């Protein structure tokens, strides 16, 4: 199918797909978009399709070009739904040169289990000429694979964006102005695929926004020819931290989450807050997880600088809403945020240590060992809680309090 | 018993320890942000940097060196691959974690004063 007079869509439809990558709902199926670009001195194939749909890809390719004309193959990232037909394509067009990003090199060998594949690694502003048409590469790592790049067809203003600006939506009309209403799919795809990489999206937009863009050709879902810049702007909006649009840029935020059956962990949470307030200079919010709903907190956690989590030990474990909260952290980027765990326990007290391990596992910074108190906190123990709040607060403000101790005291 | 002082720069804590103590035994107790997982030198999660006193720490074993190489690759691109030790080593030299020495906390023993920090 012609996208412009020099660009053809040679992808595949997969209308029956219902779940993608284990976690994504694809109620409308998906497409694997691949493209063919014709220049005066040869043809380029940009991305391939999932192995199971390779027949569609080769049939569409053969309808618009001969294998012998293919001079260039570009893979914008190596995820199997785009690299699946690559080995067969390279077998049929052995004269073609494969272009991948620097970061894709080791992955390519692991993926194809073949170290004899010839390729040319490229990075931002490297160009490949097809005679009267030129492909320029943009290195846009971690969107959403480490090896991601975009490819820009200069003379036509076409951005082959890979998974960026894509979505799982299958409609043979193919173009955004003629398919059905795919807004849900676009937003859902962003929030499940791109959201944890917001920082990288913002860096990629620095490269993408200055381009003259007439059309965006992503690897899934509709081709964006009507108002293509709208989608670029939407990515900018979705990736910009919201909190700092509302309050002063440099005000830090601490969130204290807790759940408590008899109020012991709650009293700890309050005392920690009081201690942190003494340090001051940042905002503190206290949230009770009772009721178990954690989804509303995800946006807050994403923008927060410090997150403390309190749980009693129940049957040797932290309580479910606490785990639900922690598992929701995988949707966003929490790496490097300050974190801590606390809780009241009765006899074995495993919860705090488990939560702390999880926080570390998420690569959060846990500046002070988790705080456990046996049953009802005494006045002295509540003072320990305040001290813990002061410690975390001081750390958050970049001034960790100096301590000298002997190992035997630990 | 001979003692040494080990400072964890990220949490600003200095701990006096018996010589021979492993970094991980202390870091986990003072809340330093040095992660860990296997505690056996295999997983590479306990990577840290030595800011001062590298000579006062145990020499890395061959296990530790192998894990450091493997882990470095993972840090760099997030992906395990069918080994390409040469390019890993050259990447490691290139970055060298900004010129700092990197070690594994579960393997490294303290024999004298040193200052360490998470990567
Ligand atoms: C059903 C139940 C199971 C419990 N299991 C454990 C346990 O396995 N280990 C433990 O240390 N304490 C256990 N406890 C004790 C609680 O951790 C302790 O009462 C704690 O102070 C409760 O804190 P909270 O008031 O913040 O909920 C259990 C309590 C209940 C009610
Ligand atoms: S904890 Fe696994 S290598 Fe040290």
């Amino acid at each position: 199918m012609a996208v412009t007079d020099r660009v053809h869509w040679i992808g595949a439809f997969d209308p029956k797909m219902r779940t993608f990558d284990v976690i994504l709902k694809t109620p409308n199926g998906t497409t694997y978009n691949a493209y063919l670009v014709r220049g005066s001195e040869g043809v380029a194939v940009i991305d391939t399709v999932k192995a199971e749909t390779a027949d569609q890809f080769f049939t569409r390719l053969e309808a618009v070009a001969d294998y012998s004309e293919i001079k260039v193959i570009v893979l914008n990232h190596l995820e199997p739904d785009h690299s699946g037909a690559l080995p067969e394509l390279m077998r049929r067009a052995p004269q073609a040169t494969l272009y991948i990003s620097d970061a894709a090199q080791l992955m390519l060998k692991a993926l194809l289990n073949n170290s004899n594949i010839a390729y040319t690694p490229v990075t931002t502003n490297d160009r490949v000429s097809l005679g009267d048409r030129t492909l320029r590469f943009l290195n846009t790592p971690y969107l959403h694979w480490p090896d991601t790049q975009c490819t820009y067809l200069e003379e036509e203003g076409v951005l082959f964006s890979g998974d960026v600006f894509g979505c799982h939506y299958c409609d043979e009309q193919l173009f955004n102005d003629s398919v059905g209403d795919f807004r849900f799919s676009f937003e859902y795809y962003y929030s499940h695929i791109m959201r944890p990489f917001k920082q990288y999206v913002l860096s990629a937009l620095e490269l993408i926004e200055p381009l003259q863009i007439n059309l965006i050709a992503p690897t899934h879902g509709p081709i964006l020819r009507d108002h293509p810049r709208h989608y670029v702007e939407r990515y900018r909006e979705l990736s910009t931290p919201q909190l700092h649009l509302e309050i002063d840029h440099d005000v830090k935020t601490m969130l204290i989450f807790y759940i408590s059956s008899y109020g012991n962990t709650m009293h700890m949470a309050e005392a920690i807050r009081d201690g942190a307030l003494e340090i001051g200079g940042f905002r503190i919010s206290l949230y009770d997880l009772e009721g178990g709903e954690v989804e509303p907190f995800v946006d807050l956690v994403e923008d927060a600088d410090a997150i403390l989590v309190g749980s009693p030990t129940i049957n040797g474990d932290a309580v479910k809403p606490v785990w639900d909260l922690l598992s929701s952290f995988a949707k966003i980027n929490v790496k490097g945020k300050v974190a801590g765990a606390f809780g009241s326990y009765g006899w074995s007290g495993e919860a705090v240590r488990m939560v702390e391990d999880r926080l570390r596992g998420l690569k959060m910074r846990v500046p002070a060992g988790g705080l456990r108190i046996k049953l009802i906190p005494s006045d002295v123990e509540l003072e320990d809680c305040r001290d813990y709040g002061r410690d975390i607060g001081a750390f958050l403000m970049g001034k960790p309090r100096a301590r000298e101790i002997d190992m035997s005291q630990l | 018993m001979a003692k040494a002082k080990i400072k964890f720069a990220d949490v600003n804590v200095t701990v006096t320890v018996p010589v021979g103590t492993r970094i991980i035994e202390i870091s986990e107790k003072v809340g330093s942000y040095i992660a860990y997982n296997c505690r056996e030198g295999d997983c590479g999660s306990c990577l840290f940097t030595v800011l001062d006193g590298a000579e006062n720490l145990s020499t890395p074993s061959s296990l530790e060196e192998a894990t450091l190489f493997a882990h470095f690759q993972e840090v760099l691109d997030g992906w395990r691959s069918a080994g390409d030790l040469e390019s890993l080593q050259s990447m490691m030299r290139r970055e060298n974690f900004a010129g700092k020495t990197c070690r594994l906390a579960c393997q490294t023993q303290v024999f004298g004063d040193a200052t360490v920090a998470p990567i």
Side-chain angles (χ1 to χ4, degrees):
Chain A
M1 190 174 316
V3 175
T4 70
D5 57 354
R6 295 304 194 98
V7 178
H8 280 83
W9 181 81
I10 53 169
F13 296 115
D14 192 354
K16 298 226 156 57
M17 155 82 64
R18 284 295 170 268
T19 308
F20 195 89
D21 272 2
V22 193
I23 51 162
L24 281 185
K25 272 193 215 322
T26 52
N28 187 271
T30 194
T31 65
Y32 310 105
N33 299 337
Y35 303 91
L36 186 136
V37 179
R38 182 171 284 285
S40 58
E41 287 166 26
V43 156
V45 172
I46 300 183
D47 290 314
T48 77
V49 299
K50 195 177 180 180
E52 289 79 353
T53 61
D55 288 350
Q56 290 188 51
F57 166 77
F58 288 116
T59 307
R60 291 194 174 101
L61 194 165
E62 285 163 18
V64 287
D66 287 333
Y67 291 111
S68 61
E69 295 180 288
I70 302 174
K71 187 177 155 193
V72 168
I73 301 172
V74 176
L75 276 200
N76 279 332
H77 74 295
L78 294 183
E79 199 177 1
D81 54 333
H82 309 298
S83 59
L86 177 70
E88 178 58 20
L89 177 63
M90 290 177 74
R91 202 185 62 73
R92 296 188 192 191
Q95 75 287 349
T97 308
L98 173 65
Y99 292 90
I100 56 175
S101 70
D102 267 330
Q105 300 176 65
L106 291 175
M107 218 186 275
L108 183 73
K109 290 177 188 167
L111 196 72
L112 303 182
N113 282 325
N114 177 353
S115 52
N116 297 322
I117 297 164
Y119 59 81
T120 304
V122 286
T123 187
T124 301
N125 289 336
D126 284 349
R127 287 179 168 82
V128 173
S129 171
L130 299 169
D132 62 353
R133 291 292 180 273
T134 316
L135 298 173
R136 182 179 1 143
F137 300 100
L138 309 174
N139 183 33
T140 54
Y142 289 100
L143 295 179
H144 55 116
W145 272 34
D147 59 321
T148 308
Q149 61 178 3
C150 297
T151 304
Y152 180 61
L153 176 56
E154 294 187 333
E155 294 78 4
E156 316 259 310
V158 173
L159 179 69
F160 298 99
S161 60
D163 283 351
V164 182
F165 309 122
C167 65
H168 292 304
Y169 191 82
C170 185
D171 188 325
E172 299 203 1
Q173 303 307 311
L174 217 52
F175 292 96
N176 65 330
D177 47 323
S178 41
V179 300
D181 188 341
F182 65 101
R183 283 173 297 172
F184 161 80
S185 307
F186 186 86
E187 300 281 319
Y188 181 81
Y189 190 87
Y190 178 91
S191 72
H192 285 76
I193 300 290
M194 297 298 164
R195 184 175 180 172
F197 304 103
K198 281 184 172 183
Q199 277 310 108
Y200 292 98
V201 172
L202 292 173
S203 313
L205 289 176
E206 295 296 314
L207 297 177
I208 291 171
E209 281 169 342
L211 301 175
Q212 162 67 37
I213 296 175
N214 299 329
L215 183 144
I216 298 175
T219 40
H220 295 290
I223 296 172
L224 311 168
R225 68 177 175 193
D226 189 32
H227 290 89
R229 199 153 280 279
H230 160 80
Y231 300 90
V232 179
E233 284 159 12
R234 185 68 186 137
Y235 259 52
R236 165 75 61 187
E237 252 166 43
L238 289 167
S239 307
T240 304
Q242 292 305 302
L243 179 63
H244 293 148
L245 298 179
E246 292 168 24
I247 59 165
D248 270 356
H249 193 71
D250 49 1
V251 176
K252 293 195 157 132
T253 313
M254 174 188 281
L255 307 179
I256 306 177
F257 294 101
Y258 66 90
I259 189 156
S260 188
S261 53
Y262 289 97
N264 298 326
T265 306
M266 179 183 77
H267 287 131
M268 291 180 73
E270 290 165 348
I272 291 169
R273 175 202 50 199
D274 294 346
L277 275 172
E278 286 174 29
I279 300 290
F282 52 92
R283 307 187 336 157
I284 307 175
S285 343
L286 202 60
Y287 291 111
D288 189 342
L289 294 173
E290 187 168 331
E293 207 190 342
V294 298
E295 204 52 38
F297 299 120
V298 177
D299 288 349
L300 306 187
V301 169
E302 186 169 44
D303 283 348
D305 301 287
I307 297 131
L308 305 183
V309 180
S311 176
T313 298
I314 304 289
N315 297 328
D317 200 353
V319 205
K320 184 169 180 297
V322 167
W323 290 124
D324 289 346
L325 179 76
L326 292 170
S327 70
S328 75
F329 288 12
K331 287 185 197 167
I332 52 181
N333 181 12
V334 293
K335 202 169 153 187
K337 291 186 195 294
V338 175
F342 62 93
S344 166
Y345 72 105
W347 51 92
S348 51
E350 292 91 340
V352 170
R353 181 56 191 280
M354 290 167 127
V355 170
E356 206 184 332
D357 280 351
R358 171 75 179 144
L359 297 170
R360 284 181 205 282
L362 290 163
K363 302 198 171 58
M364 301 177 81
R365 296 153 61 82
V366 185
L371 186 64
R372 299 190 311 168
I373 282 172
K374 198 167 168 70
L375 293 163
I376 299 174
S378 66
D379 288 347
V380 172
E381 287 167 331
L382 285 173
E383 185 52 30
D384 291 343
C385 293
R386 280 188 283 273
D387 216 39
Y388 180 81
R390 290 181 202 111
D391 272 340
I392 304 271
F395 187 85
L396 180 62
M397 296 311 283
K399 300 188 188 81
R401 301 194 295 169
R403 284 180 292 157
E404 285 232 11
I405 38 181
D406 190 274
M407 192 168 168
S408 58
Q409 296 170 285
L410 290 169
Chain B
M1 192 189 287
K3 300 270 187 176
K5 280 190 179 206
I6 181 100
K7 179 172 175 184
F8 292 86
D10 63 325
V11 282
N12 206 0
V13 180
T14 308
V15 193
T16 307
V17 301
V19 300
T21 306
R22 283 175 203 277
I23 296 283
I24 199 168
E25 297 172 51
I26 333 159
S27 61
E28 63 181 327
K29 293 203 172 114
V30 299
S32 176
Y33 176 55
I34 299 175
Y36 62 88
N37 198 349
C38 70
R39 304 181 71 107
E40 290 180 359
D42 271 338
C43 71
S45 54
C46 62
L47 212 59
F48 71 96
T49 64
V50 187
L51 302 178
D52 195 23
E55 68 285 359
N56 294 331
L57 303 175
S58 57
T59 335
S61 65
S62 52
L63 169 70
E64 182 176 346
E65 283 190 334
T67 305
L68 281 171
F69 281 139
H71 187 80
F72 186 77
Q73 174 214 330
E74 206 166 304
V75 168
L76 199 76
D77 62 20
W79 292 91
R80 288 206 170 276
S81 118
D84 180 349
L85 200 58
E86 216 177 297
S87 70
L88 290 182
Q89 282 167 333
S90 80
M91 281 194 273
M92 181 148 181
R93 274 193 297 276
R94 185 162 43 143
E95 299 278 324
N96 196 21
F97 288 116
K100 294 169 193 157
T101 313
C102 53
R103 298 291 306 270
L104 295 180
C106 70
Q107 300 297 298
T108 307
Q109 290 172 282
V110 181
F111 293 114
D113 296 357
T115 302
V116 302
I119 296 277

